[in-house]
Amino acid sequence: MPDSQSSLSTRLLVVSAVMLVAAFAITIVVLDLVFRRSAEAALADQLEVQVLALIGAAEPDDAGNLSVPRRLLETRLRNPGSGLYSEILDASGLPLWRSPSAVGLELAPGATLKAGERRVSRRLLPDGSEVLLFGLGINWELGPDATPAFQVFAAADLAGYEAQLERFRTQLLGWFAGVMFVLLAALWLAIRFALRPLRRMSAEITAIEAGRQEAFGAGYPRELAGVTRSLNTLLVAERQRMSRYRTTMDDLAHSLKTPLAVVRTELGAGQPDTATLRAQIERMQSVVDYQLRRAAASGPRSLAARPVVLLPLLEDIVSSLRKIHRDKPVSCELQIPDGASYPAEQGDLYEIFGNLLDNAWKWCAGRIVVTVSGGDDEMLAISVADDGPGIPDDQTEAVL
C-alpha cells in the first residue's frame, strides 16, 4: 500500500490495481474450473459413444462370449498405445475381450456394474498414464432363458486433455494480462483527468503563497467551487484584517504622538502639572478606545457565524437599560417570534440593538415596541418604535 506521503493518484491507482488483479484472479479460477468440467464432460460423452458403438459391433457366440470384429473397431482401438482403449468384462469383473490398443493393460479390474449403471472416473494405469474411464453395465439377451450380464468400458488418455488445458490457461493468462494492462493505463489517464482540478488548486496555492496571484480562479468543478469560493473569502478577509491592523496602528501612533509629547514636556519641566497629565492621559485613553471600537466595527463578518437567538439577547439589553435609566419608568414590549435567530456575531447584535434601544429609551415618553421579523436567513427586519417626538421632517435626511 502507498505510504502517507504518496499522491492521491498513486493511492487510487494502487487500490484500483489491487482490486482489478483480485477480480481477474477470481475470474481466471472460475473460467478454468468451468473449462475443465466442460472438457471432461465432452470427453466422457465421446467415451460413451465409443461404448455404445462397441456394444453395437459386439457379437455373442454360442457359449455366451462376446467378440468384436477387428474391421468394425474405431481406428485408434486397433493401434497399441493410441490413447483410446476399451474392454468387456463379465458380471464378476473377469475380462472377456480387450481392444488391441489396450494390450497388457487392465482398465477396470474387478469392476461390478449393474445393468444400466454408468460410471465415469479417473484411473492411473500400470504404465503410469492417467485415463478418464467410462463404464456401462448391460444385460445381453441371447435367448429366452439366457441374459448374461456384461460390463463395457472405454478409456482415453488424459495427456492430450491436460496439454489442451495448459494451452487454454496460458492463453487465458496472456489475454487477461493484456486486458489488465490496457485497463490500468485507461484508469491512470482517467485519474489524471479527474484530479486535474486538484493539481490546478495546488499550483494556485503555491502562486498565492509566492505573491504571484491574489485569489483562486474560476472554472472549478461543482465539488470544488464552494471550497475555492470560501478560500477566496478567507483570503479577502485576511487582507482586510492586515490592512485594518496597519491602518489602526498608524492612526493610533499618529494620535498618540501629540499627547505623548505633552507628557514628555511636562515631565521634563521638573514640576509637572497634574491636571495637564491627567487630561493627556484621558485623551490617550479615549484615542485607544476609539481606535479599538473602530477596528471592531470595520471587521469582516465571520465566515460561519452561529445563529443567535434574539429574545434572550433583547431581554438582557432591556434589563440593563432599566438599571441605567432607573429614574425613568418605561414599558418595553418585545414582539419577537419564538426561536427567532440570526447568524451573526453576538457582540455586533448587542451593539446594534443596544444603540437603538438606548436612543429610544432616552426620547420616548413611556412606551417602546420592538418588532422582529424574518431571521434564520440573510434578511432580518428590526423595528424599534417609541412614543417620543420623533425626528423633525426637515432633519430626517441629515440624520439618516
Side-chain angles (χ1 to χ4, degrees):
M1 293 299 292
D3 57 39
S4 59
Q5 299 298 320
S6 61
S7 65
L8 283 177
S9 57
T10 302
R11 287 168 175 260
L12 290 174
L13 190 61
V14 170
V15 172
S16 301
V18 171
M19 295 179 65
L20 197 61
V21 169
F24 278 4
I26 295 174
T27 304
I28 289 173
V29 171
V30 172
L31 289 178
D32 180 76
L33 181 62
V34 170
F35 180 81
R36 174 186 287 272
R37 290 183 176 179
S38 176
E40 284 193 8
L43 186 58
D45 290 341
Q46 294 176 13
L47 293 176
E48 184 177 8
V49 171
Q50 290 294 334
V51 167
L52 296 177
L54 194 61
I55 293 173
E59 298 177 352
D61 56 17
D62 295 337
N65 297 321
L66 292 179
S67 62
V68 181
R70 184 180 180 88
R71 60 183 176 80
L72 299 179
L73 290 177
E74 205 270 342
T75 305
R76 287 183 296 168
L77 292 177
R78 305 174 193 172
N79 302 321
S82 66
L84 182 63
Y85 317 105
S86 64
E87 69 177 2
I88 301 176
L89 308 179
D90 63 12
S92 62
L94 296 177
L96 299 177
W97 177 87
R98 186 171 290 143
S99 66
S101 61
V103 173
L105 300 176
E106 292 184 345
L107 301 181
T112 55
L113 296 180
K114 298 179 181 179
E117 181 182 356
R118 286 173 166 79
R119 180 183 299 172
V120 179
S121 62
R122 284 174 173 252
R123 188 173 184 277
L124 193 64
L125 298 181
D127 63 355
S129 60
E130 187 180 16
V131 297
L132 185 69
L133 183 67
F134 178 87
L136 174 65
I138 61 171
N139 285 337
W140 197 289
E141 295 184 3
L142 299 179
D145 300 323
T147 55
F150 298 98
Q151 303 174 77
V152 184
F153 290 91
D157 194 335
L158 289 176
Y161 161 78
E162 294 293 344
Q164 183 184 13
L165 182 62
E166 189 63 31
R167 287 194 300 271
F168 170 76
R169 288 173 176 170
T170 302
Q171 293 176 358
L172 189 65
L173 289 174
W175 278 107
F176 269 93
V179 171
M180 187 173 67
F181 176 79
V182 173
L183 287 179
L184 286 177
L187 186 62
W188 180 77
L189 292 176
I191 291 174
R192 293 278 299 177
F193 175 77
L195 296 182
R196 187 167 59 182
L198 290 180
R199 292 195 298 274
R200 174 191 167 191
M201 180 180 289
S202 176
E204 290 191 350
I205 289 175
T206 302
I208 291 172
E209 290 177 344
R212 299 190 302 270
Q213 188 171 328
E214 292 188 355
F216 290 94
Y220 278 95
R222 183 171 59 253
E223 293 79 4
L224 295 178
V227 176
T228 54
R229 185 167 53 249
S230 297
L231 289 175
N232 282 337
T233 303
L234 186 62
L235 289 171
V236 171
E238 179 63 17
R239 292 191 183 97
Q240 290 177 350
R241 187 188 67 81
M242 292 302 298
S243 176
R244 188 173 65 255
Y245 172 78
R246 295 190 185 97
T247 302
T248 302
M249 291 297 101
D250 291 343
D251 293 345
L252 185 61
H254 181 74
S255 301
L256 293 179
K257 183 183 298 183
T258 300
L260 286 174
V262 174
V263 171
R264 188 181 297 110
T265 301
E266 288 294 327
L267 292 176
Q271 295 181 346
D273 181 37
T274 304
T276 301
L277 292 178
R278 184 179 295 109
Q280 296 305 316
I281 291 174
E282 291 177 354
R283 180 180 175 185
M284 285 188 288
Q285 182 64 50
S286 65
V287 168
V288 171
D289 294 340
Y290 168 75
Q291 294 295 345
L292 290 177
R293 285 196 305 271
R294 193 181 71 166
S298 60
R301 180 178 174 181
S302 173
L303 289 176
R306 295 181 178 179
V308 178
V309 182
L310 300 178
L311 183 57
L313 182 141
L314 285 165
E315 288 177 343
D316 189 23
I317 294 174
V318 170
S319 177
S320 300
L321 289 174
R322 290 190 189 280
K323 295 176 182 178
I324 295 173
H325 303 280
R326 62 170 57 93
D327 56 338
K328 183 178 182 178
V330 173
S331 172
C332 185
E333 182 180 349
L334 302 177
Q335 298 179 356
I336 304 173
D338 293 338
S341 62
Y342 186 74
E345 297 293 340
Q346 186 169 346
D348 294 342
L349 293 180
Y350 264 112
E351 185 169 358
I352 293 171
F353 283 111
N355 288 337
L356 291 173
L357 284 171
D358 183 61
N359 184 71
W361 216 286
K362 291 177 181 178
W363 294 98
C364 72
R367 185 170 182 268
I368 300 174
V369 179
V370 180
T371 305
V372 175
S373 60
D376 298 323
D377 201 348
E378 295 183 356
M379 301 298 297
L380 182 68
I382 306 169
S383 173
V384 180
D386 62 76
D387 57 355
I391 303 173
D393 294 338
D394 57 346
Q395 297 182 15
T396 301
E397 184 176 352
V399 171
L400 297 178

